[in-house]
Amino acid sequence: HHTFHVHGHRWKSPFDTDVDTQTVGPAETFAIRWKEEDPGTWLYHCHVESHMMAGMIGTYHVRTR
């Protein structure tokens, strides 16, 4: 299992609550959508520490127009 997390962002769960992590099991997927409002470099990673240390971590960049 993986617990996906994006720093600085929240989205609505199917139960209409704000969340910032999503656990995903074997052969599972999920889709989320949010509107970027804050420029900068954002971190995303798996909250399982051994997974993160093995490379399940990254950044993406948001620029202003």
Side-chain angles (χ1 to χ4, degrees):
H1 288 81
H2 303 286
T3 304
F4 176 75
H5 174 71
V6 181
H7 284 229
H9 295 77
R10 293 185 181 274
W11 58 88
K12 293 285 186 187
S13 77
F15 305 105
D16 202 37
T17 58
D18 290 336
V19 296
D20 64 356
T21 59
Q22 175 66 46
T23 300
V24 182
E28 288 185 329
T29 62
F30 74 101
I32 55 175
R33 183 181 352 180
W34 66 80
K35 182 178 179 179
E36 293 291 354
E37 296 176 348
D38 297 315
T41 300
W42 297 99
L43 179 71
Y44 61 92
H45 61 93
C46 179
H47 258 227
V48 178
E49 187 173 355
S50 62
H51 296 176
M52 184 172 53
M53 300 311 285
M56 295 186 89
I57 186 170
T59 59
Y60 70 97
H61 306 283
V62 177
R63 296 186 182 119
T64 58
R65 291 185 180 207

